[in-house]
Amino acid sequence: MSLNKSLTISVFSESRAGILHKITTAFSRRKINIISLTVSECEVEGVFRYTIEVEEQEDSIRKLVLQLEKQVEVIKAFYHYENELVSQEIALFKIPISAIAAGKAEKILREHNARVLTLEADYAVIEKTGYRREIMALYQELESMPILEYASSGKVAISKPETDIRSYFNKSVPQHAVIS
Amino acid sequence: MGQLIQEEQSQLIDTGIKMSGARAVLEILLREEVEYIFGYPGGAIMPIYDELMDYQDRLKHILTRHEQGATHAAQGYARTSGKVGVCFATSGPGATNLITGIADAQIDSTPLVCITGQVSAHLLGTDAFQETNIIGISMPVTKWNYQVTSADEIPEVLAKAFYIAQSGRPGPVLIDITKNAQFDTCNFQYKKCLGFRSYIPVPSINDLQVKQAAEAINRSKKPLLLLGQGVLLANAESELKHLIEKADIPTAWTILGLSGLESDHPLNMGMLGMHGNYGPNLLTNECDLLIAVGMRFDDRVTGNLDHYAKQAEVVHIEIDPAEINKNVHADYPVLGDAKAVLEKLIPLVDQNDHNDWKERFKRCRQEEQKKVIEKAMNPTSDQLSMGEVMKWINQYSGGEAIVVTDVGQHQMVACRYAQFRQSKSSITSGGLGTMGFCLPAAIGAKLGSPDQEVVAIIGDGGVQMTIQELGTIMQCEIPIKVVILNNEFLGMVRQWQELFFDKRYSATEMMNPDFVKLAQAYNIQSERVLERDTLDAAVHRLMSSKESYVLEVMVAKENNVFPMVPTGASVSDIILEKPNNYESK
Ligand SMILES: Cc1ncc(C[n+]2csc(CCOP(=O)(O)OP(=O)(O)O)c2C)c(N)n1
């Protein structure tokens, strides 16, 4: 039995209500747990990019990616190893303003390259972008403040090899608009 | 919607007439050359049904007795005609009743367009009367689905629906149309969909892959070709025959590949899988090359994958990239439509003969003949066997009939023994194994191929799952020859209980109605056969009747279907008869 790997799946699809459901059911049907999922429009208008992190056997992800591509709205799906991606995450921490006032936070924020987004009467919100491990390192330092609220995004990733999603469009279909 | 318009390539057929969304639906069906609609009305689809009154001369509506029956009838129609099957149903329970048939069509790659009515758009999400989220429910079992909430969307969405259902690997599409969209006016113009950018239905053929596959075939001393439904869907029967004749390749078929090669072809070695023939199963583990064409290595075909053809190289010709390496590793995958691939492959393949290898199949056949087939077809006991009923059906059909089967022992017996001379003549529920499929599917099969006789072979269990479709047969006067093989058991489950569960017959014995009287209540001719003496003549009456006919045959209660690859076993551990001390699991 081979070991689970950290893999990142990128799915490019047309925008349409329900497509997220189709994508996630492809995972749940095979009992593949999604660690994080991020969706945004990509550089091609109308095409959405789903970045999905999993810990799984590579073979099952290879098959899953083909099943994802089978959806008629999905243009292309890939999976990547960690080292094939440039990736980033963002986290927000709410801590008591007293922690800032007492001067405990400044050094930590500097060391971690984090910044203060807002200062209010009772709390401050701090932002950190980076790898998950960097975010977790900051989390540990801030934990004693204490952290009043914490939220983080999934992974946003771009693959190192050049991929132009347009090259995966069905070439036999002209791209001009048909006016009705 | 702008999205859909932009992406499509389409062919303008006509422009700009104002009409209701409901009427537009029917105009589109005409333009897609739909002949039959299988359906059942209800509140949310009434505007469409109302318009249908004005189209009765051009669109024939078959009122089934249950929406599940509508889907299976549409499947039968699609499979014999090669066209898209169309269903109508209302919202809520009408829509959910479609699900079994849609799931069956999805796993067996059958093109359907199902149109469901839905509550008005402003009521969506309010738990309105008969509102159900059919888009959510059907998503995992459709090739595509879409909810239309305004009349203007109807032409483009339906054009896409017909295109998706039948292009590439076919499948079911469900379009949910809210009631307001049916009532509202649209500016009707119709363009057939010819493609859109995110969807590549047929992968283009890589010539290197074809060349490598041809070289593997030319090197092979012991090739075995596995014929799947992909061959039938691609209309590649004659190319396939050309290939196997040229390279002299023994050929076996999956249950959905049945009839793709005529039964008496010398290279037809029979059925694969759990109750398939002895030779093809045993020799799967001896061949040096498997050539899979349009099949997906279902577990009922492969048995235990750890012991499946490990000695062989594999050529896999397939239209769906997701099937390559899914269950069995392909050394030589060839992506593409089966017909197009075979056309390229044939010239690269050497003329060959494999007489010694074919001799192996022949010897397996002789052994199977002696130990299994002879007993099944000409039993010595007084009790009638399913096999001998098939023998007489073959006798009077001459292999020209369409044989539709349900699910269970009778299905395996019918598929093993029915003779076929024409392709697309065996209709069965393969991937889902849906009991209740047969009777409605037979109705559709007859409409899809009206010149062929249609014989429906059904168990006493399965027939009662959709028996109400006798009403459809009566009302629409569709001549179907129904054969109920009555063993007073849910036979296939009973067989497993006998072999693997210490004969503990939990919930498999059936008390049945008088099927003959039941058929007569529907004004359908019917008779019952109890003894061998009267079987031949009764089958003759059945087959020569101009009208529908129900023949009930009382068969042995506890016969088993053999050969059998027990679950979890390797295909080469296929057993020909029940071992004396079979270990139950
Ligand atoms: C809808 C459905 N329910 C249950 C089953 C499980 N099942 C498979 S075969 C079978 C028995 C079928 O009995 P019958 O129709 O009498 O046919 P026989 O096996 O006796 O020929 C059952 C219950 C099924 N395939 N489909």
Side-chain angles (χ1 to χ4, degrees):
Chain A
M1 205 77 195
S2 48
L3 287 172
N4 284 355
K5 286 187 179 149
S6 293
L7 299 167
T8 303
I9 299 167
S10 307
V11 184
F12 293 86
S13 110
E14 299 291 357
S15 83
R16 190 207 128 185
I19 185 72
L20 177 63
H21 179 59
K22 275 197 182 182
I23 291 173
T24 54
T25 44
F27 286 76
S28 54
R29 181 175 167 204
R30 294 169 181 83
K31 295 227 175 292
I32 296 174
N33 202 18
I34 292 177
I35 295 173
S36 81
L37 180 153
T38 310
V39 190
S40 71
E41 201 166 10
C42 77
E43 71 283 2
V44 181
E45 205 193 321
V47 175
F48 278 69
R49 176 177 194 136
Y50 297 72
T51 307
I52 305 162
E53 265 183 284
V54 292
E55 293 263 349
E56 259 298 320
Q57 309 223 347
E58 187 168 349
D59 188 51
S60 53
I61 296 304
R62 192 181 49 72
K63 290 177 188 173
L64 174 76
V65 158
L66 289 170
Q67 295 293 338
L68 291 169
E69 280 184 3
K70 213 165 134 165
Q71 303 295 337
V72 300
E73 294 94 345
V74 170
I75 297 154
K76 188 72 191 167
F78 306 92
Y79 73 88
H80 292 291
Y81 303 124
E82 211 73 34
N83 62 6
E84 294 171 324
L85 294 170
V86 179
S87 70
Q88 197 75 314
E89 285 171 54
I90 181 167
L92 303 180
F93 302 81
K94 187 197 271 184
I95 58 171
I97 196 75
S98 55
I100 305 265
K104 286 191 283 185
E106 189 193 335
K107 183 162 168 277
I108 297 173
L109 299 190
R110 277 180 185 283
E111 278 173 6
H112 286 268
N113 242 331
R115 61 185 186 125
V116 177
L117 284 185
T118 180
L119 284 171
E120 300 292 331
D122 344 328
Y123 64 86
V125 175
I126 294 174
E127 178 218 289
K128 166 71 193 162
T129 62
Y131 292 122
R132 168 95 33 92
R133 63 179 134 73
E134 296 175 317
I135 290 169
M136 290 331 287
L138 176 60
Y139 189 103
Q140 275 163 13
E141 298 238 31
L142 293 178
E143 217 167 357
S144 61
M145 301 279 155
I147 297 169
L148 303 173
E149 265 184 61
Y150 166 77
S152 89
S153 71
K155 186 191 271 182
V156 180
I158 279 183
S159 65
K160 291 178 186 169
E162 198 188 335
T163 44
D164 178 1
I165 196 61
R166 279 167 287 232
S167 68
Y168 295 99
F169 286 156
N170 185 344
K171 299 202 187 48
S172 63
V173 180
Q175 294 306 305
H176 64 80
V178 177
I179 295 115
S180 47
Chain B
M1 245 354 260
Q3 201 64 41
L4 273 168
I5 299 168
Q6 259 182 27
E7 289 150 23
E8 262 170 33
Q9 182 191 4
S10 37
Q11 193 181 53
L12 192 67
I13 293 189
D14 49 11
T15 45
I17 311 160
K18 288 219 183 311
M19 64 177 75
S20 71
R23 193 170 197 97
V25 169
L26 302 174
E27 287 292 330
I28 291 163
L29 298 192
L30 289 177
R31 282 160 181 72
E32 293 290 343
E33 291 165 50
V34 171
E35 297 171 279
Y36 293 103
I37 300 159
F38 302 92
Y40 210 97
I45 198 167
M46 283 183 67
I48 292 177
Y49 269 89
D50 183 60
E51 290 287 353
L52 192 58
M53 285 289 279
D54 299 336
Y55 286 79
Q56 285 175 73
D57 52 333
R58 288 159 290 166
L59 289 168
K60 281 166 242 147
H61 182 269
I62 306 294
L63 176 66
T64 55
R65 296 314 191 247
H66 187 294
E67 290 87 351
Q68 181 187 351
T71 55
H72 294 324
Q75 287 181 280
Y77 173 80
R79 300 256 289 268
T80 57
S81 71
K83 296 167 70 172
V84 178
V86 175
C87 298
F88 282 176
T90 191
S91 66
T96 55
N97 274 348
L98 297 176
I99 292 296
T100 302
I102 291 177
D104 194 287
Q106 169 84 342
I107 200 162
D108 280 351
S109 309
T110 309
L112 297 186
V113 170
C114 299
I115 294 173
T116 49
Q118 180 58 282
V119 300
S120 281
H122 73 279
L123 291 172
L124 287 170
T126 66
D127 302 321
F129 179 63
Q130 294 193 329
E131 184 206 355
T132 194
N133 177 3
I134 196 62
I135 292 295
I137 292 171
S138 65
M139 205 170 264
V141 291
T142 47
K143 187 171 171 189
W144 190 61
N145 67 10
Y146 196 90
Q147 185 173 62
V148 171
T149 51
S150 89
D152 289 328
E153 292 177 288
I154 287 172
E156 286 165 33
V157 171
L158 279 182
K160 233 173 146 169
F162 276 93
Y163 175 70
I164 291 170
Q166 59 197 317
S167 55
R169 181 173 179 177
V173 171
L174 182 139
I175 304 298
D176 194 33
I177 307 181
T178 58
K179 204 167 177 181
N180 61 296
Q182 299 171 42
F183 274 130
D184 287 351
T185 305
C186 69
N187 193 13
F188 181 75
Q189 55 169 223
Y190 194 63
K191 299 175 230 120
K192 272 200 173 194
C193 177
L194 304 173
F196 51 99
R197 68 181 187 181
S198 65
Y199 173 59
I200 302 178
V202 185
S204 50
I205 298 172
N206 176 335
D207 289 336
L208 182 67
Q209 289 183 336
V210 180
K211 184 167 161 274
Q212 289 172 338
E215 286 164 2
I217 293 171
N218 291 340
R219 272 197 309 274
S220 167
K221 303 267 176 291
K222 297 190 282 182
L224 172 59
L225 188 137
L226 314 179
L227 184 167
Q229 192 193 198
V231 173
L232 285 70
L233 290 169
N235 296 312
E237 294 92 343
S238 61
E239 289 77 9
L240 187 108
K241 199 151 80 173
H242 190 165
L243 171 74
I244 60 171
E245 285 172 356
K246 184 171 181 191
D248 201 28
I249 307 171
T251 296
W253 33 269
T254 69
I255 201 163
L256 291 181
L258 175 54
S259 82
L261 178 67
E262 58 266 28
S263 307
D264 57 4
H265 193 284
L267 288 166
N268 189 336
M269 300 305 172
M271 178 158 114
L272 292 164
M274 185 171 272
H275 293 288
N277 289 103
Y278 186 50
N281 277 305
L282 187 76
L283 299 177
T284 291
N285 281 352
E286 281 184 40
C287 69
D288 62 5
L289 183 69
L290 276 183
I291 306 150
V293 190
M295 58 84 74
R296 59 186 175 83
F297 293 106
D298 178 79
D299 54 281
R300 283 288 148 109
V301 161
T302 64
N304 188 335
L305 278 173
D306 294 334
H307 304 282
Y308 182 77
K310 289 295 176 200
Q311 79 296 341
E313 290 195 307
V314 175
V315 170
H316 194 175
I317 299 173
E318 178 49 56
I319 198 165
D320 178 358
E323 293 299 345
I324 303 287
N325 296 340
K326 188 181 81 176
N327 296 332
V328 170
H329 174 76
D331 302 279
Y332 306 103
V334 188
L335 279 174
D337 170 77
K339 190 184 185 89
V341 171
L342 291 174
E343 275 168 358
K344 289 195 165 204
L345 187 65
I346 291 164
L348 306 180
V349 165
D350 298 337
Q351 193 93 33
N352 217 329
D353 53 61
H354 296 294
N355 290 330
D356 293 349
W357 175 231
K358 282 191 294 185
E359 192 54 34
R360 295 294 317 278
F361 285 89
K362 199 183 282 174
R363 264 180 286 154
C364 285
R365 168 66 73 164
Q366 284 160 356
E367 192 174 344
E368 185 176 347
Q369 182 71 35
K370 196 170 72 203
K371 291 194 172 144
V372 181
I373 301 174
E374 193 51 37
K375 288 183 197 162
M377 305 292 264
N378 301 303
T380 45
S381 107
D382 287 346
Q383 297 179 326
L384 293 175
S385 75
M386 294 181 176
E388 66 188 307
V389 179
M390 289 312 301
K391 180 179 72 183
W392 291 112
I393 290 172
N394 287 336
Q395 168 88 24
Y396 295 113
S397 78
E400 302 290 346
I402 290 171
V403 176
V404 188
T405 50
D406 208 70
V407 173
Q409 291 184 311
H410 65 280
Q411 175 190 33
M412 294 300 128
V413 171
C415 290
R416 286 176 52 81
Y417 299 119
Q419 296 285 312
F420 294 99
R421 306 192 54 76
Q422 291 190 47
S423 185
K424 303 181 181 73
S425 294
S426 168
I427 309 296
T428 197
S429 166
L432 206 63
T434 306
M435 283 173 72
F437 173 86
C438 179
L439 192 59
I443 295 171
K446 178 70 189 174
L447 297 174
S449 182
D451 296 337
Q452 278 178 285
E453 284 293 349
V454 171
V455 188
I457 314 266
I458 324 185
D460 50 306
V463 75
Q464 293 181 73
M465 284 209 173
T466 47
I467 197 156
Q468 66 278 8
E469 302 306 340
L470 287 174
T472 311
I473 291 172
M474 169 179 68
Q475 183 173 0
C476 300
E477 298 181 18
I478 302 166
I480 309 286
K481 310 301 165 62
V482 180
V483 180
I484 301 172
L485 296 176
N486 187 352
N487 54 14
E488 295 173 279
F489 267 108
L490 297 174
M492 186 57 95
V493 179
R494 189 213 54 76
Q495 173 169 347
W496 283 48
Q497 288 170 335
E498 178 185 334
L499 297 178
F500 310 122
F501 292 90
D502 294 325
K503 270 199 166 194
R504 285 155 58 88
Y505 290 167
S506 177
T508 43
E509 202 162 0
M510 276 237 164
M511 184 193 268
N512 289 320
D514 183 329
F515 289 116
V516 173
K517 276 195 190 145
L518 194 64
Q520 285 163 352
Y522 283 99
N523 223 353
I524 297 173
Q525 293 183 73
S526 183
E527 65 177 301
R528 178 181 299 113
V529 171
L530 299 159
E531 279 157 5
R532 187 158 292 127
D533 294 349
T534 54
L535 179 63
D536 170 6
V539 174
H540 182 70
R541 279 191 292 279
L542 167 90
M543 296 299 287
S544 51
S545 164
K546 293 269 172 292
E547 284 156 27
S548 287
Y549 206 98
V550 173
L551 179 67
E552 181 190 8
V553 184
M554 303 306 293
V555 294
K557 289 178 74 155
E558 298 187 37
N559 273 0
N560 291 329
V561 185
F562 284 107
M564 181 173 192
V565 179
T567 29
S570 159
V571 280
S572 51
D573 292 335
I574 183 168
I575 51 174
L576 287 173
E577 47 205 348
K578 185 178 165 184
N580 293 334
N581 53 348
Y582 202 80
E583 276 217 9
S584 55
K585 298 185 191 148

